[in-house]
Amino acid sequence: MDSMHPDPAPAPPPSLSDIKAQVARLEAAHKQKGLPLSGRIIHVMHHLPVEIVRIVPAESLEAGGMLSPPMTPEFKPEDVEAKVESADAKWRIHARTAHPALVSGIKSLSDTHDQILVAWTGEVLLQPDTNASPQPPSQATFPSIAQNLLAPFSAHQETPSPTSPSAPTPPPNESPLMVFGGEFNDQEKKEVETELERFTEVEQKFEEGGRLKYLPVFLPPDVSKGHYEGFCKKTLWPLFHYLLWLDSTATVPSPDPSWLAYHKTNQMFAQRVAEVYKPGDLIICHDYHLLLAPKMIRESLGQVVGGEHGATPVEVMIGMFMHTPWPSSEIFRCLPTRREILDGMLGANLVSFQTYSYSRHFVSTCIRVCGYESTPGGVDANGQVTAVGYCPIGLDVKRVIHDRELPGVIPKMEALRQLYKDKKIIVGREKLDVAKGVYNKLQAFEKFLQVYPEWRGKVVLIQVTTPALSESPKLERMTAELVSHINGTYGSLDFTPVHHYHQALEKDEYFGLLSVADLALITSLRDGMNTTSMEFILCQDKTNKSPLVLSEFMGTVASFQSALQINPHDLLGVAHAINKGLNMPQAEKEERHQSLLNSVNGHTSYTWAATILKQLLENVGGEHTAHQTPALDINKFSQAYKNAKKRLMLFDYDGTLTPIVKIPSHAVPTERTLSAISTLAKDPKNVVYLISGRDGDFLEEHWGHVENLGMSAEHGSFVKQPGDEEFTNMTEALDMSWMSEVEEIFKYYTERTTGSTIEVKKASITWHYRNSDPDFGEFQCKQCLDLLESSLAPRRPIEVLVGKKNLEVRPLAVNKGEIVKRLMYENPDADLIFCAGDDKTDEDMFRSLRTVFPPGGIHSNDTIIMKPPVAVTSTLDPEEVAELKDVELHIRPDEIFATTVGPPAKKTLAAWHVTCPEEVVEALETLLESQ
């Protein structure tokens, strides 16, 4: 039950200028409130966007140890790219073509921020020294697709025709590149860092953009291999793409020895970030290679930077973005190191995903696997609140349009059109791994030729693949056999229906192929972002406006509602979609294409990067930071109490003034407790309130006789001021129709959980499992919480709270925190506040006491202005609300004694702790005796 409804169709995205304006306003607001922002962003990602080549004497290579060739790139290297070569011809650095959307998005932020990119050097390549400056790798390794296609028709020609360019001939002095398998000494590391500095300057001039500094992480070969080729490729990547290890092509021993390498790598990244960090830096970690890094970075830098006791601390500000899919909790829980991974990610202030469903899966996983609680905007892990959001990444549209219109594209388009003059072209390009669904695509194409025989001889599928993260000879063999089978069954001597090219492409060929295609077919079984679909849409804008057939398991599918969406496992359904796309009227093609184009232009890599920055700035500031607490200082408390002219004394009931008991009705106050509270209430300097989750009848029965005692029932839903006869309903103006739906869900779990009960109050409803089997009750609570959070909370104005052996649902706008704000507003001259509570609902009170002050604390002469809170305005007419005025608070942070009941290690927003309800009463008695 991770998600009971599909991804919502995204709202029209704000413009890039609007997002940047919001970022500027957020930064200005944070600075105004005292939160230091350095203007720097540190990006932490797996691989530097460059390739480093070390030029060495030829004899040293011959005498070297084990060397291996580099991986095949997706595209052939370009001649026109930023590159730099050291003066002594020892190093050469040039840009990589991998992950262009991510890199372009990061670079787009350099206009307004200084940026540092911390990443692994990648596999450093070795090349024997030659007289001439060596070229980028593998330029002559791969033949041209156009050359391959036209080979049967031009074999008799002595010179290639203009439409069938020959593959380039390698220079006679070019030497093969091999992977360096050793470690660099300190001098060599400094040299690499120096050359990266030079490369940054060259790149900045070449791209005419902002400065992005590259900071390399040097990993030992065994660590980098175990991290990337081990845990990342063989454990995490299959899992995130719903390929359990028994089903995937990789085999993983249990326990997985590469976990140590993964842990070590994340630790080295965290240490590298700590070396360059300055207070006020924003840190953004990218993707599944670095899931432990947020927590490790926070631990390396300290949980908070600055701040005094009693003041709001300044956080280390960390965001994380997952570029891959996030699986359902039932899949993720198979991971042996699941809790370490989740705790590492929850070290961030923000965790963001490609889609809404991925974010819901993550929240559900945190609830089911770790037992953490969800909040309206994220996850509460022992008091540390991590916001969870989503934002689809897009393309660097300007770069794709530039590449689409290069002079070399048109000849490739003409070559393909000449060869397939009377035929429809279906195009696909993926890595050859199980999750990309290439085999399913070929099966579906075969089904299409079976079901629609009229298309035989009239349509071709041109499928380009590149090597996958995990090489799979079995999949390669199966794919080749299926291609041969289809061509043997439906082809002829002069016609081949499937052209499969397992190689890198020239960009001219690639964009020419996308431009002339009559249909793009993408059948991924699970994928995050798919650049091919977006590039196809942009290329088709200048040609045919051809339709797109897209798997519903893509992360981008919610943005592409006008695509022909298919289930890649439904081969017949895919065949029908292919036929529909090929027969589609031109008017419908243009209408669908325009919708797709608007989506691509609206969600670019630039808007993605700016949105992630905005999301992070919205979730920093210190008020969400929980911490361990010291024991309540009775002497300090007594002195402050004696000096105060007006005091607010606020108490929770269950677990604070009386112990938690199995039968709630038995939790009655002792004479000792009644005496202490009554004495406090008699003092004219005191305003004393019980702020409880109990209903008003219970509070009236046991506390109604105490004079001058204010009471709040049902977590702030009802309030009775001192001297009043009746409770005021704070929820009269709210929509409460959700209660019947929640009650039905609670009944379902009550029937299946022996000993559990439902408590229906006037403004909230609670499911108790205190008398159930502890383990089974907790399990059922997690299941019920997940159902409520995934199906009901997103569409109704409610919040779900996990208490001690109970689960409560209440209105979103009413809680104990709002009541505290009301009391502060009504008593602005109070110069001491004592607030005691023990559970999750009481954290709302502690949070309210913190958020009245700006992030970073205040100076002694600062004025604190408070606007009318919801608990005041919700019971008034609009005309009455308009007449309310802001008030100036006298209270200062060191005059607030927010005290939680529990162990010192308990994560809380309170500043102090006592261990049990008896200590609360003892503290009050000591206080009264000292007066």
Side-chain angles (χ1 to χ4, degrees):
M1 295 181 181
D2 292 290
S3 181
M4 300 297 290
H5 40 82
D7 281 347
S15 67
L16 180 60
S17 59
D18 289 343
I19 301 173
K20 287 187 173 181
Q22 293 177 45
V23 168
R25 286 195 296 269
L26 284 166
E27 290 182 324
H30 283 314
K31 290 177 181 178
Q32 186 177 6
K33 293 176 181 178
L35 178 67
L37 289 175
S38 65
R40 300 199 317 171
I41 304 174
I42 301 176
H43 295 274
V44 190
M45 57 186 286
H46 173 239
H47 200 305
L48 286 171
V50 299
E51 188 167 70
I52 302 174
V53 179
R54 184 180 182 185
I55 304 167
V56 297
E59 58 271 14
S60 67
L61 264 186
E62 294 169 2
M66 296 292 292
L67 297 174
S68 58
M71 283 192 66
T72 305
E74 290 191 58
F75 291 106
K76 299 181 188 179
E78 300 176 77
D79 292 328
V80 184
E81 63 181 12
K83 64 180 72 174
V84 66
E85 188 168 316
S86 59
D88 57 1
K90 186 176 180 180
W91 303 94
R92 187 180 74 248
I93 299 175
H94 64 86
R96 295 173 72 234
T97 57
H99 309 297
L102 168 60
V103 175
S104 68
I106 290 175
K107 289 180 177 179
S108 70
L109 299 176
S110 296
D111 295 338
T112 53
H113 294 77
D114 293 330
Q115 297 199 104
I116 299 173
L117 199 158
V118 177
W120 177 46
T121 57
E123 292 180 328
V124 175
L125 303 179
L126 299 180
Q127 188 165 41
D129 191 11
T130 60
N131 293 329
S133 174
Q135 299 297 313
S138 51
Q139 282 207 351
T141 307
F142 309 105
S144 161
I145 285 185
Q147 174 72 8
N148 278 340
L149 291 172
L150 296 176
F153 304 95
S154 57
H156 62 281
Q157 299 177 3
E158 294 183 2
T159 58
S161 66
T163 58
S164 56
S166 300
T169 304
N173 59 352
E174 182 176 327
S175 304
L177 291 167
M178 305 301 284
V179 176
F180 174 58
E183 293 189 53
F184 293 129
N185 58 39
D186 291 341
Q187 178 61 34
E188 291 169 331
K189 290 179 181 179
K190 290 180 181 178
E191 290 175 2
V192 171
E193 291 181 3
T194 301
E195 295 306 315
L196 284 171
E197 284 281 346
R198 290 184 58 220
F199 176 83
T200 299
E201 296 172 3
V202 172
E203 186 178 52
Q204 186 177 4
K205 294 177 182 177
F206 181 80
E207 298 183 351
E208 299 179 351
R211 182 176 174 82
L212 177 62
K213 180 180 179 180
Y214 297 133
L215 196 67
V217 177
F218 297 94
L219 298 177
D222 58 330
V223 173
S224 65
K225 185 179 180 68
H227 167 257
Y228 182 58
E229 296 183 20
F231 199 75
C232 288
K233 285 167 55 174
K234 296 181 179 179
T235 301
L236 290 181
W237 193 91
L239 187 78
F240 288 158
H241 291 79
Y242 286 74
L243 300 171
L244 291 180
W245 307 291
L246 294 177
D247 302 327
S248 70
T249 55
T251 56
V252 179
S254 183
D256 187 356
S258 60
W259 165 250
L260 295 177
Y262 186 85
H263 188 278
K264 176 67 173 177
T265 297
N266 278 255
Q267 190 68 58
M268 293 180 70
F269 270 78
Q271 292 169 356
R272 194 69 162 123
V273 170
E275 292 171 8
V276 296
Y277 176 82
K278 296 179 181 178
D281 286 352
L282 299 172
I283 303 170
I284 302 177
C285 302
H286 295 272
D287 220 3
Y288 66 101
H289 314 90
L290 300 168
L291 298 180
L292 304 179
K295 181 181 179 182
M296 289 179 171
I297 291 171
R298 193 174 295 282
E299 290 173 345
S300 297
L301 298 172
Q303 173 69 21
V304 295
V305 176
E308 298 178 358
H309 183 72
T312 305
V314 180
E315 289 183 272
V316 178
M317 296 168 282
I318 305 175
M320 175 154 207
F321 187 82
M322 278 291 293
H323 296 263
T324 60
W326 188 271
S328 74
S329 60
E330 291 304 309
I331 295 290
F332 186 84
R333 71 193 311 165
C334 298
L335 185 64
T337 53
R338 58 196 185 183
R339 193 175 188 102
E340 292 89 337
I341 294 288
L342 293 175
D343 285 342
M345 297 175 70
L346 292 174
N349 300 76
L350 165 76
V351 179
S352 196
F353 297 85
Q354 291 269 14
T355 72
Y356 173 78
S357 64
Y358 297 163
S359 68
R360 289 304 318 157
H361 286 172
F362 176 75
V363 172
S364 176
T365 301
C366 292
I367 293 171
R368 293 187 174 210
V369 173
C370 296
Y372 295 146
E373 301 171 22
S374 64
T375 68
V379 176
D380 185 337
N382 297 324
Q384 174 67 42
V385 177
T386 297
V388 179
Y390 68 99
C391 176
I393 191 172
L395 286 178
D396 182 354
V397 173
K398 293 180 181 178
R399 176 67 181 266
V400 174
I401 291 176
H402 171 269
D403 292 343
R404 176 191 74 187
E405 296 176 353
L406 290 172
V409 173
I410 293 178
K412 299 298 193 299
M413 292 170 59
E414 292 175 348
L416 291 164
R417 282 172 176 158
Q418 176 185 351
L419 183 60
Y420 297 112
K421 189 179 301 181
D422 301 321
K423 296 176 176 62
K424 298 286 189 180
I425 300 175
I426 301 174
V427 66
R429 188 204 69 156
E430 288 90 9
K431 290 181 178 178
L432 188 57
D433 61 42
V434 176
K436 299 297 182 182
V438 175
Y439 193 79
N440 294 60
K441 181 187 301 187
L442 294 170
Q443 289 179 309
F445 184 68
E446 180 183 19
K447 178 65 70 175
F448 166 72
L449 296 177
Q450 290 175 359
V451 177
Y452 298 100
E454 65 271 19
W455 282 110
R456 297 176 189 175
K458 298 179 182 178
V459 62
V460 294
L461 170 63
I462 300 178
Q463 176 64 49
V464 181
T465 57
T466 51
L469 290 174
S470 299
E471 299 285 352
S472 173
K474 179 181 178 182
L475 181 60
E476 290 183 21
R477 186 186 73 250
M478 290 172 59
T479 301
E481 290 174 353
L482 184 54
V483 169
S484 298
H485 168 72
I486 296 172
N487 289 338
T489 305
Y490 300 101
S492 61
L493 291 176
D494 60 350
F495 174 70
T496 304
V498 179
H499 296 268
H500 177 216
Y501 300 97
H502 190 52
Q503 63 180 61
L505 284 178
E506 291 179 356
K507 284 198 171 180
D508 290 351
E509 291 179 317
Y510 176 61
F511 287 108
L513 188 59
L514 294 184
S515 298
V516 302
D518 297 286
L519 187 78
L521 182 57
I522 299 171
T523 57
S524 297
L525 306 184
R526 188 69 57 171
D527 206 354
M529 175 197 179
N530 181 273
T531 57
T532 302
S533 60
M534 302 180 192
E535 290 161 343
F536 173 78
I537 293 165
L538 290 173
C539 288
Q540 285 293 316
D541 191 44
K542 293 293 184 181
T543 53
N544 308 330
K545 311 288 193 293
S546 298
L548 169 67
V549 177
L550 187 65
S551 167
E552 66 185 46
F553 300 115
M554 300 292 304
T556 53
V557 73
S559 302
F560 293 159
Q561 297 293 326
S562 296
L564 298 174
Q565 298 184 10
I566 49 94
N567 177 353
H569 302 282
D570 178 11
L571 302 183
L572 184 59
V574 179
H576 291 328
I578 295 173
N579 180 65
K580 181 178 180 179
L582 294 178
N583 286 316
M584 187 176 291
Q586 187 61 32
E588 184 180 351
K589 287 183 182 180
E590 293 177 0
E591 181 182 352
R592 287 175 177 266
H593 172 78
Q594 189 59 48
S595 174
L596 296 172
L597 183 64
N598 291 341
S599 182
V600 172
N601 288 329
H603 295 93
T604 68
S605 59
Y606 293 7
T607 57
W608 163 78
T611 301
I612 293 300
L613 181 58
K614 179 178 76 75
Q615 289 178 347
L616 178 56
L617 289 169
E618 288 172 340
N619 290 283
V620 299
E623 58 264 24
H624 297 303
T625 305
H627 51 272
Q628 298 183 13
T629 53
L632 178 63
D633 188 333
I634 297 297
N635 293 330
K636 182 177 181 179
F637 181 31
S638 297
Q639 189 61 45
Y641 184 88
K642 182 183 297 185
N643 297 338
K645 297 177 181 178
K646 187 172 185 179
R647 316 168 186 116
L648 276 179
M649 309 294 287
L650 313 175
F651 301 91
D652 171 46
Y653 182 63
D654 289 284
T656 301
L657 293 179
T658 184
I660 297 290
V661 296
K662 282 196 171 185
I663 303 175
S665 60
H666 291 179
V668 297
T670 64
E671 288 298 324
R672 185 181 170 195
T673 304
L674 283 168
S675 175
I677 297 297
S678 299
T679 305
L680 283 176
K682 289 176 183 177
D683 191 330
K685 291 184 178 182
N686 293 343
V687 178
V688 185
Y689 265 80
L690 292 186
I691 304 177
S692 175
R694 295 287 188 141
D695 59 32
D697 294 338
F698 180 91
L699 295 181
E700 276 290 347
E701 178 184 353
H702 297 284
W703 293 93
H705 63 281
V706 178
E707 295 181 3
N708 298 323
L709 177 65
M711 292 184 285
S712 171
E714 298 190 29
H715 301 297
S717 298
F718 298 87
V719 175
K720 180 184 175 184
Q721 298 193 27
D724 285 359
E725 295 294 328
E726 301 291 336
F727 280 89
T728 301
N729 188 349
M730 310 298 292
T731 66
E732 281 182 337
L734 302 178
D735 176 15
M736 304 296 291
S737 60
W738 50 266
M739 288 192 69
S740 59
E741 297 180 63
V742 175
E743 187 173 7
E744 286 300 316
I745 294 175
F746 280 171
K747 284 181 178 177
Y748 173 88
Y749 283 94
T750 301
E751 292 170 358
R752 288 158 177 79
T753 312
T754 304
S756 63
T757 58
I758 301 173
E759 181 184 5
V760 180
K761 304 175 186 177
K762 294 177 181 177
S764 64
I765 182 169
T766 306
W767 182 66
H768 296 276
Y769 61 94
R770 184 171 289 112
N771 297 325
S772 303
D773 176 81
D775 291 334
F776 185 65
E778 185 177 356
F779 172 78
Q780 290 288 74
C781 177
K782 292 178 183 179
Q783 300 293 315
C784 185
L785 173 65
D786 183 51
L787 176 59
L788 290 168
E789 287 287 351
S790 62
S791 65
L792 202 58
R795 55 187 177 85
R796 302 306 295 265
I798 61 172
E799 62 178 333
V800 187
L801 299 174
V802 179
K804 291 185 177 178
K805 303 294 184 182
N806 66 64
L807 193 61
E808 179 171 6
V809 181
R810 69 185 186 191
L812 192 58
V814 178
N815 56 59
K816 290 184 178 182
E818 290 298 325
I819 296 301
V820 169
K821 290 180 182 178
R822 170 178 173 156
L823 295 175
M824 295 178 74
Y825 179 81
E826 293 174 343
N827 301 276
D829 54 339
D831 50 4
L832 180 135
I833 299 177
F834 177 76
C835 181
D838 71 305
D839 67 7
K840 167 67 178 177
T841 62
D842 302 313
E843 294 295 317
D844 292 330
M845 296 195 292
F846 304 146
R847 183 176 288 108
S848 294
L849 293 172
R850 284 170 162 262
T851 54
V852 295
F853 303 109
I858 62 171
H859 300 292
S860 58
N861 57 347
D862 286 349
T863 300
I864 306 300
I865 302 298
M866 185 176 191
K867 295 182 179 298
V870 173
V872 172
T873 60
S874 62
T875 58
L876 301 178
D877 296 328
E879 296 79 11
E880 296 175 305
V881 173
E883 296 177 0
L884 295 175
K885 297 180 180 180
D886 297 349
V887 298
E888 180 182 344
L889 300 180
H890 293 189
I891 196 73
R892 289 296 180 263
D894 59 354
E895 297 167 343
I896 294 177
F897 290 83
T899 306
T900 189
V901 180
K906 177 182 179 181
K907 286 293 188 72
T908 177
L909 293 172
W912 308 92
H913 84 273
V914 294
T915 58
C916 61
E918 288 77 10
E919 287 191 18
V920 175
V921 179
E922 287 175 6
L924 297 180
E925 291 174 339
T926 303
L927 197 70
L928 295 172
E929 290 171 2
S930 68
Q931 305 306 310

